Amino acid sequence: MSLTHTGVTTPAPLDPCGLEEHPDCGIRDVLDRIGDKWSVLVIVELAGGPRRFRELQRAVEGISQRMLTLTVRRLERDGLVLRTVYPTVPAQVDYRLTGTGADLTHLVKALADWSLAHRADIAEARQSYDRTHPDHDIH
Amino acid sequence: MSLTHTGVTTPAPLDPCGLEEHPDCGIRDVLDRIGDKWSVLVIVELAGGPRRFRELQRAVEGISQRMLTLTVRRLERDGLVLRTVYPTVPAQVDYRLTGTGADLTHLVKALADWSLAHRADIAEARQSYDRTHPDHDIH
DNA sequence: CAGAATCCCTAATGATACTG
DNA sequence: CAGTATCATTAGGGATTCTG
């Protein structure tokens, strides 16, 4: 959607990143996957190599059995994680990143880098906001 | 970044992306902001230039007045968006990306690019999964 | 071990009405 | 126009119990 300003000499509406080209297309799918509470943490752990169910649960601190199950299932469904069942007894299952999943770690790293680079800015902005808007509660 | 899987000589878990270095640190803050339902769409719209409240609401299809308010407030609090009130009557307010917010659009674009690049893979993986796991409901 | 099945609670979002 | 205030709904997530 072109939002060309009607301004006389106003410089064309800048879109430095070319984001207008794909407003929603597909981003939601990815955000729905990595935007939840645990997926990124699981992916990061799996970036270190294959893990069994209990290993993952111990590594990802605070995750419940239920949420770990749901998280790995969804990652598996999206083809980001490969689940392998070994017919031993008791059962043994391991999870590992697929090619797509491994590629996703690059994106996660970009996110982590950006977060670290701007962490101080954001923290400061929040403090400033909370100081100047004491009554306001938007969390 | 090489993903060479030696297998034999690498007892140590490989971390091709260096993700282990910052497991959680700061990523959550960013994901909590861009992981919600509307923030990315608002940011993308603002990447096209300053917008007034109603303009934003019309541009971001489906967003309620309440959620738009909450979304821009949170973005403002994090220093990603600048809110300017003009003391006219009726009131006039515009929103624009700050420096940090504009920088964030780079990350959003990386996300969009990745999403587009892997959209087919993911869609196919899902279909395959749903076909082989008919009863399973994990959404 | 690796889950499946329940129950319960809270946060997130939506709908509607009202205001400076 | 640009919100605020309420109420209703739903999705996400946690705790617990049970099983192959």
Side-chain angles (χ1 to χ4, degrees), chain A residues 21-139:
Chain A
E21 301 166 18
H22 27 60
D24 184 27
C25 326
I27 312 187
R28 273 261 60 87
D29 284 348
V30 176
L31 282 176
D32 285 345
R33 192 57 46 243
I34 71 172
D36 66 18
K37 194 170 179 181
W38 302 108
S39 291
V40 166
L41 299 179
V42 169
I43 289 170
V44 167
E45 179 61 23
L46 289 180
R51 296 283 189 274
R52 298 179 55 177
F53 189 86
R54 298 294 301 186
E55 286 181 316
L56 272 179
Q57 191 175 5
R58 275 188 292 267
V60 181
E61 195 164 0
I63 195 172
S64 67
Q65 207 169 42
R66 170 186 149 80
M67 286 317 296
L68 180 55
T69 300
L70 279 176
T71 301
V72 293
R73 282 293 183 286
R74 292 198 268 241
L75 291 173
E76 185 196 2
R77 176 170 182 259
D78 284 1
L80 303 174
V81 158
L82 178 65
R83 176 174 177 266
T84 311
V85 183
Y86 301 95
T88 61
V89 46
Q92 181 172 338
V93 179
D94 80 31
Y95 297 88
R96 69 189 65 202
L97 294 177
T98 63
T100 308
D103 191 71
L104 180 58
T105 61
H106 294 28
L107 196 58
V108 172
K109 175 166 171 46
L111 244 92
D113 287 345
W114 194 93
S115 302
L116 283 177
H118 297 274
R119 202 179 190 186
D121 295 344
I122 293 181
E124 190 180 350
R126 285 184 183 172
Q127 287 186 22
S128 170
Y129 185 95
D130 292 345
R131 205 178 325 108
T132 53
H133 304 71
D135 49 341
H136 229 301
D137 171 35
I138 61 180
H139 319 321

Side-chain angles (χ1 to χ4, degrees), chain B residues 22-106:
Chain B
H22 27 61
D24 184 26
C25 326
I27 311 187
R28 274 262 61 88
D29 284 347
V30 176
L31 282 176
D32 285 346
R33 192 57 46 242
I34 70 173
D36 65 20
K37 195 170 180 180
W38 303 108
S39 293
V40 166
L41 300 179
V42 169
I43 289 170
V44 167
E45 179 60 23
L46 289 180
R51 296 284 188 274
R52 296 179 56 176
F53 190 86
R54 298 294 301 186
E55 287 181 313
L56 272 178
Q57 191 176 6
R58 276 188 291 267
V60 180
E61 193 164 3
I63 195 171
S64 67
Q65 206 169 41
R66 170 186 151 78
M67 285 317 296
L68 179 56
T69 300
L70 280 176
T71 302
V72 292
R73 283 291 184 286
R74 292 197 269 242
L75 291 172
E76 185 196 2
R77 175 170 183 259
D78 283 4
L80 302 174
V81 159
L82 179 65
R83 176 175 177 265
T84 312
V85 183
Y86 300 94
T88 61
V89 49
Q92 181 172 341
V93 178
D94 80 29
Y95 297 89
R96 68 189 66 204
L97 294 177
T98 63
T100 308
D103 189 72
L104 182 57
T105 61
H106 293 30

